[in-house]
Amino acid sequence: MAEFSEEDHPAHRAAVEYKHALRSRLAQLCKEAGAPDGELAEQLMLVVNGALVSVPLFGAEGPAEQTEKNIVPPHRPIPGKGYGLNFI
């Protein structure tokens, strides 16, 4: 979003929509897992964002890969989306 800081830019709008969808998906997954409130989803949002932001610095094998291996459940694919961080 920083690369496209103009709020009316299509790329900025797409990034904002993606972040909102990700946040909603995390909240849904946390609720399904029995988390008592939305706080866990907010914390996971920070972890996922940090992992994604780290890719340009450390490559896909850095924190993003560790997040995907250790946080995103490997045994539970998202229908139509598969496994991994692309789960919305």
Side-chain angles (χ1 to χ4, degrees), residues 19-71:
K19 297 290 183 176
H20 284 286
L22 175 60
R23 187 177 186 196
S24 294
R25 183 68 175 134
L26 287 172
Q28 177 186 359
L29 290 172
C30 289
K31 184 177 179 180
E32 289 174 11
D37 58 33
E39 192 172 309
L40 177 59
E42 297 296 324
Q43 293 169 353
L44 288 173
M45 184 74 181
L46 289 173
V47 172
V48 170
N49 278 329
L52 294 173
V53 169
S54 74
V55 171
L57 297 172
F58 303 111
E61 296 79 30
E65 180 181 47
Q66 294 305 311
T67 301
E68 188 171 30
K69 285 181 182 178
N70 296 311
I71 293 179

